[in-house]
Amino acid sequence: ELNLNTVTDYDGNFSIQLPVDFVEDSVLLEARYVGYFPFEIRISSKNLHLPIKIELVRSIDLNEVAVGGLILL
């Protein structure tokens, strides 16, 4: 299983580089953002070069966000 991650720029644009030896018929693209439902789309390998428009749907209203962290030494 191949897992690749990326983040968007300020305008929401992103790109993902697949390995040159990638031979799958399709890939599953998943987009997630705090407060929104996850978005998933399966893309045929022959269409990977095409632009993809993703619109996330808000799942909850967030007035405040608390971020926690854990440091293991």
Side-chain angles (χ1 to χ4, degrees):
E1 182 175 302
L2 176 66
N3 289 311
L4 300 172
N5 298 300
T6 190
V7 294
T8 63
D9 64 14
Y10 183 77
D11 295 319
N13 300 307
F14 69 94
S15 66
I16 298 175
Q17 296 291 325
L18 294 173
V20 266
D21 59 348
F22 183 78
V23 293
E24 299 296 322
D25 292 331
S26 65
V27 296
L28 179 64
L29 176 65
E30 181 178 306
R32 294 176 172 266
Y33 193 75
V34 175
Y36 290 80
F37 290 109
F39 174 89
E40 290 185 355
I41 184 172
R42 184 156 292 281
I43 305 166
S44 167
S45 294
K46 63 183 176 185
N47 293 327
L48 289 175
H49 64 285
L50 299 175
I52 300 165
K53 183 173 182 172
I54 297 173
E55 293 185 22
L56 299 178
V57 177
R58 187 181 302 268
S59 63
I60 57 173
D61 284 327
L62 294 175
N63 295 327
E64 295 182 25
V65 176
V67 178
L70 174 64
I71 298 175
L72 300 174
L73 301 174

